[in-house]
Amino acid sequence: MPIGLLSPRLTRTQLWLVEQVHDGESFIFRNYDTGTVLGIENGSSTQGTSIVVQSYAPTSENTSSQHWEVIWVRDNNKIPYYCITNQRTRTVLDQTENVENGAGFSVKSWNFHGCQRQLWSFERATFPTMYWLVSLPSRQRLQYIPNPSNATSLDVKTEFPSPNQLWYLESVVEYDGYYRIRHVDSEDRVLDLSSKDNKSVLARTLEGGDNQMWKITDIDLNGIVSIVCARNDTVLYAKSDREGVYYPRGATDASTCNGRYQWCLAPLSIPSLFWTVRVRGSLLLNPVAASPLPTGARGEVDYTAQWRFVTQSRNPYFTIVNRGTGNSLRNSSGSSLTADNNPSSNQYYWALDGEREDYIITNLSTSNVIAWADGNTQALSGGAMDVNHHWFINASLQSVPSFALINAKTGMALGYVPNVSSGSVMTDRAFNSYRCQWIFQQVGTDTDDRPIYVIINKLSDKVLDHWGGVRIEALDNDPINLHHRWRLVPCHKRYFAFVNVSTGKYLYDDGNAPNVSNAAGTMTDEDRRCCWTLVSHRDSTYDTIALDIDITSPYLESRHIVKRIPKKPPKGKCNAKAQPSHIPDNPRIIQATNRVLRDVVERLIDQLDFDRINDQPSRTLASTSRTEVVRDWRIDVPRPIQAGWECDGWVRIGLNGTYMDQNGVRVANIQGQYNAQTILHVIVPVCVTFGRQRIREAMTRSLETATSVRLDAPENTTASGSKKQPTTYVFTSLRWY
């Protein structure tokens, strides 16, 4: 079950960020509290070497003792277990039976032998959804400040979020629909209807009685609710005395339709714990950089524009740490924003206010908000209604699909070569390395309304450039340089040609350095040097392809390829009535931004235990409901995603039938759904053994990117039920445009 970040069962030093590194295969484990990463002492391969935490040292070497591979070993009770293997030493994390310095069992590096102490599972940590409980008649917040009588009170909202005024809901497993309302600052305290008079509202330690259980019922769709205690159906309300002072009270036989007895649950804005980008329109928050900021997809690869929010003890405010520098954002006075690595005062602390991903970010020392003004990011006073003070906070890593560009003739991928003045683009077989992964950002359309892209290297943030019309390089992006812009032209199947907008020439690879050339008017099947396929991940047996509609499927109706299968009668002879299999449109995929919803979906993904998909009718592969999530998984589900959760299949993964694709391969159509919304989509050739972990990874990639993902059968395997035969592609008067 996910662990609440404020839970007394957990300290921040036990939290780890799992970050993929530039090779595309391994990860670093960064401690949430200290920012240091997991490594092997002195990089030693000796068995029994201590595992240490140390500052991260980025390296261009092929291997690092701070890089780890996460390798699935087996499932146990529907929980996946992994060995965590050091990339350099090939030893694994091993929990010994020795206790060192009273700090628990020590972890050493050891050769893998498969015992339980070398197997690890991942348990996601989350913030609970925290609320202000706002009385409608008084507009004041329910609060608890420790006092001898344990009394709660009502007061106006503090300038910055105060843990005294914040509460979170904890489902009561044994009583369907009831919650304990737990105080954030004094987490051992829950909202309590006094047993003495059944009227006083207190905050007491948990005793388990019905006077500490509350049913929260929606009055309307704007967060207006009634809060009713299980004891005698006592209604929580705000009572006023003769002086007009409000205080919380319980009332029996009260009508919840009366506004006097109604409350608003106002959620506290909580950002992602992982690296994020801060965006206002197309602008990225980056007060440290002196040069113009990248926009759109480029924020995926520019670490100076990525930040993470680090909690401060039990207080609902944060330091904001830059990924590129490790420095924390600071506003000491005036409008200037600086950053350094010594956060020690309120100048480094920031409170968030807003809904969903739209935030106002306020400094605790100066009360200034981060704003965009006069072409710069500044700290300015007030003005919550000013849109230039609002920022979107988006998860950065893996949220935009990237691709290896693999040539049809050579089988090599286009790759970036760092630290050279010439020859910065070569070919490579490290398909999954960031140096061979490219992000497509649309920057316009041509006169025929076809998309035009800049192609951005994931490792370097450089863009693919037909430099001076002479050679291929990867250089800093120039928005007005047409040599940096490319169009995609379909070849056949999922192959494309890349046409430079400035020169009209075509990117090719013939086994030497990649370059461009004029394309012949007519090409044969042997001349494939100008054709490239886009692959998100490749290993020895399979491809994973993110089917970004705007990139991998542009204007496919414009193909100029005649496909002839041997021994198949020409159209109109003997098969005039033959009809192709129905190919469904890719569904509209909704980004699952709610962290708890993603936890639930990932839990379902981990339960899938098949290694291949057989040709079979539509059916549910995994599903869950409120009872399982709350009672068995003990996940507290926030109210915004509770719609439909009383029904089986509230969140589900299903096989929506099989069909023959445009290449004659029978594939399974798998969708993950939250109520009626599709949140992941995977296409898998049937009767091909990919392994459960590969299928799970494809689903997770689709969930992260909100993009359809396809697993591709190995070249030497034909999916069962496929009509695919050895095929000849005849390029008949192919018009390169």
Side-chain angles (χ1 to χ4, degrees):
M1 59 175 283
I3 300 174
L5 199 62
L6 303 180
S7 170
R9 296 187 295 124
L10 188 70
T11 62
R12 298 192 313 170
T13 56
Q14 294 173 313
L15 292 174
W16 301 86
L17 305 179
V18 183
E19 305 173 19
Q20 190 170 62
V21 293
H22 58 77
D23 63 7
E25 301 286 355
S26 58
F27 301 86
I28 59 173
F29 290 81
R30 187 188 303 273
N31 188 267
Y32 175 82
D33 189 53
T34 65
T36 53
V37 303
L38 213 58
I40 294 182
E41 191 172 29
N42 299 322
S44 172
S45 59
T46 302
Q47 294 195 76
T49 301
S50 295
I51 303 299
V52 296
V53 290
Q54 51 200 195
S55 297
Y56 182 54
T59 176
S60 59
E61 298 180 25
N62 291 332
T63 61
S64 168
S65 61
Q66 294 179 334
H67 294 175
W68 303 83
E69 296 173 12
V70 179
I71 302 172
W72 175 78
V73 178
R74 62 175 178 262
D75 292 353
N76 185 20
N77 293 326
K78 295 187 176 182
I79 298 175
Y81 284 88
Y82 305 85
C83 69
I84 301 175
T85 304
N86 189 266
Q87 190 186 57
R88 171 174 287 177
T89 67
R90 308 312 300 173
T91 53
V92 303
L93 293 185
D94 185 300
Q95 178 182 290
T96 71
E97 298 179 353
N98 300 321
V99 176
E100 293 187 357
N101 301 322
F105 297 107
S106 63
V107 178
K108 305 288 186 179
S109 67
W110 212 267
N111 289 340
F112 179 68
H113 47 72
C115 70
Q116 290 188 355
R117 66 173 185 261
Q118 293 184 337
L119 300 182
W120 304 81
S121 64
F122 292 88
E123 188 168 359
R124 184 180 293 275
T126 66
F127 281 108
T129 302
M130 293 178 281
Y131 298 95
W132 287 282
L133 275 59
V134 186
S135 162
L136 283 193
S138 71
R139 300 294 177 183
Q140 294 179 348
R141 272 72 175 161
L142 182 68
Q143 67 180 15
Y144 170 67
I145 299 173
N147 62 87
S149 62
N150 299 318
T152 59
S153 58
L154 289 163
D155 203 348
V156 296
K157 182 182 178 182
T158 55
E159 180 182 7
F160 302 113
S162 167
N164 292 331
Q165 293 186 337
L166 289 168
W167 308 77
Y168 65 93
L169 307 181
E170 183 179 83
S171 296
V172 181
V173 176
E174 302 83 3
Y175 294 90
D176 191 29
Y178 282 90
Y179 298 92
R180 296 186 181 96
I181 302 176
R182 192 173 290 275
H183 194 244
V184 166
D185 192 46
S186 303
E187 198 178 28
D188 61 325
R189 302 283 172 148
V190 298
L191 201 64
D192 179 286
L193 183 66
S194 173
S195 299
K196 294 181 179 179
D197 59 13
N198 288 326
K199 293 181 180 180
S200 299
V201 179
L202 311 174
R204 297 177 60 89
T205 55
L206 179 62
E207 297 172 350
D210 61 357
N211 62 318
Q212 294 181 335
M213 298 189 299
W214 305 82
K215 176 167 281 187
I216 299 175
T217 305
D218 289 308
I219 303 297
D220 61 24
L221 299 179
N222 297 316
I224 306 303
V225 300
S226 63
I227 304 176
V228 180
C229 184
R231 178 167 292 179
N232 302 326
D233 289 330
T234 304
V235 180
L236 180 68
Y237 76 108
K239 183 176 181 179
S240 63
D241 59 20
R242 293 179 179 179
E243 286 75 30
V245 176
Y246 286 90
Y247 56 96
R249 199 72 170 165
T252 56
D253 300 322
S255 172
T256 57
C257 295
N258 187 327
R260 180 185 182 192
Y261 301 101
Q262 294 175 3
W263 298 76
C264 177
L265 291 185
L268 174 71
S269 301
I270 295 293
S272 167
L273 304 183
F274 206 58
W275 299 108
T276 61
V277 290
R278 242 72 69 220
V279 185
R280 191 202 65 80
S282 61
L283 303 167
L284 299 181
L285 171 60
N286 187 0
V288 182
S291 58
L293 292 170
T295 60
R298 302 193 55 164
E300 293 291 306
V301 292
D302 184 358
Y303 284 1
T304 64
Q306 294 182 17
W307 307 78
R308 68 184 177 97
F309 290 84
V310 181
T311 56
Q312 300 303 304
S313 184
R314 304 184 64 81
N315 297 304
Y317 46 80
F318 310 87
T319 54
I320 306 177
V321 181
N322 186 266
R323 188 176 190 189
T325 65
N327 291 335
S328 298
L329 197 61
R330 176 189 184 193
N331 178 224
S332 57
S333 62
S335 62
S336 64
L337 284 168
T338 58
D340 60 47
N341 60 2
N342 186 34
S344 56
S345 69
N346 282 354
Q347 298 173 4
Y348 297 88
Y349 297 156
W350 302 85
L352 275 70
D353 196 6
E355 295 184 1
R356 298 180 177 87
E357 284 78 38
D358 189 359
Y359 295 89
I360 298 171
I361 308 173
T362 307
N363 186 267
L364 265 64
S365 175
T366 63
S367 298
N368 289 336
V369 300
I370 299 178
W372 179 259
D374 301 325
N376 292 292
T377 305
Q378 303 180 33
L380 301 178
S381 59
M385 300 303 293
D386 189 336
V387 295
N388 289 312
H389 297 179
H390 290 230
W391 300 84
F392 293 100
I393 299 178
N394 300 323
S396 58
L397 292 184
Q398 309 303 328
S399 60
V400 174
S402 63
F403 304 90
L405 280 54
I406 303 176
N407 189 263
K409 181 177 181 179
T410 64
M412 302 286 281
L414 204 66
Y416 170 73
V417 180
N419 304 319
V420 296
S421 58
S422 178
S424 56
V425 177
M426 299 296 287
T427 54
D428 200 326
R429 289 194 179 276
F431 305 115
N432 306 320
S433 169
Y434 283 14
R435 69 176 181 272
C436 291
Q437 289 279 320
W438 303 79
I439 295 171
F440 287 69
Q441 180 175 330
Q442 186 174 347
V443 292
T445 57
D446 63 14
T447 55
D448 295 321
D449 202 31
R450 294 171 301 196
I452 295 173
Y453 301 97
V454 291
I455 304 175
I456 309 164
N457 184 257
K458 194 170 183 177
L459 176 65
S460 65
D461 197 29
K462 307 292 186 180
V463 301
L464 195 64
D465 171 48
H466 186 195
W467 185 82
V470 175
R471 65 177 187 265
I472 295 297
E473 297 287 354
L475 301 175
D476 292 331
N477 183 43
D478 180 353
I480 64 173
N481 190 338
L482 297 183
H483 289 89
H484 294 184
R485 300 187 176 195
W486 301 83
R487 287 190 290 108
L488 275 67
V489 177
C491 293
H492 65 84
K493 295 173 66 175
R494 54 182 177 88
Y495 283 86
F496 301 87
F498 293 87
V499 186
N500 188 264
V501 170
S502 178
T503 63
K505 294 187 177 182
Y506 299 81
L507 182 68
Y508 74 85
D509 179 33
D510 59 3
N512 299 306
N515 211 325
V516 296
S517 72
N518 295 313
T522 301
M523 297 183 67
T524 68
D525 188 42
E526 295 301 318
D527 193 355
R528 297 171 294 166
R529 60 179 186 154
C530 293
C531 295
W532 305 78
T533 187
L534 278 62
V535 173
S536 303
H537 186 280
R538 169 172 285 187
D539 71 7
S540 59
T541 58
Y542 79 103
D543 283 348
T544 302
I545 307 108
L547 300 178
D548 190 302
I549 299 302
D550 296 328
I551 298 173
T552 56
S553 302
Y555 46 93
L556 289 183
E557 67 278 3
S558 302
R559 294 187 184 197
H560 297 279
I561 306 297
V562 176
K563 178 178 177 181
R564 296 195 181 106
I565 298 178
K567 299 182 180 180
K568 181 176 180 179
K571 183 177 181 180
K573 295 183 180 181
C574 303
N575 67 338
K577 295 183 179 180
Q579 297 293 329
S581 297
H582 172 65
I583 301 177
D585 293 331
N586 285 351
R588 175 177 172 81
I589 303 176
I590 304 300
Q591 183 85 53
T593 57
N594 186 282
R595 59 192 179 276
V596 175
L597 177 58
R598 291 186 60 166
D599 293 343
V600 172
V601 177
E602 289 172 355
R603 181 76 173 243
L604 286 182
I605 291 173
D606 286 342
Q607 290 188 356
L608 299 176
D609 58 359
F610 46 80
D611 299 310
R612 57 191 271 166
I613 304 291
N614 294 321
D615 193 359
Q616 56 189 294
S618 298
R619 68 183 183 91
T620 299
L621 302 175
S623 68
T624 191
S625 64
R626 177 196 181 280
T627 301
E628 181 177 40
V629 171
V630 174
R631 183 191 63 197
D632 300 337
W633 299 352
R634 295 187 178 273
I635 296 176
D636 283 319
V637 178
R639 294 177 59 78
I641 63 169
Q642 289 180 5
W645 72 332
E646 68 279 355
C647 303
D648 289 338
W650 161 63
V651 181
R652 62 195 180 278
I653 298 173
L655 170 63
N656 289 9
T658 64
Y659 62 92
M660 204 74 72
D661 72 4
Q662 64 265 35
N663 297 311
V665 177
R666 181 159 291 280
V667 296
N669 180 19
I670 300 174
Q671 294 186 27
Q673 293 184 302
Y674 159 60
N675 289 323
Q677 296 179 336
T678 298
I679 52 179
L680 69 84
H681 179 224
V682 175
I683 302 168
V684 183
V686 302
C687 299
V688 177
T689 301
F690 291 102
R692 67 192 65 182
Q693 190 60 20
R694 304 306 184 205
I695 297 172
R696 290 169 176 167
E697 289 170 355
M699 291 183 180
T700 302
R701 187 182 295 266
S702 177
L703 181 67
E704 290 171 343
T705 61
T707 302
S708 297
V709 170
R710 172 167 177 150
L711 283 174
D712 213 26
E715 289 293 329
N716 60 353
T717 302
T718 299
S720 175
S722 171
K723 297 179 180 178
K724 189 174 181 180
Q725 304 177 44
T727 303
T728 301
Y729 290 91
V730 182
F731 294 71
T732 59
S733 300
L734 179 60
R735 179 166 62 93
W736 297 82
Y737 56 96

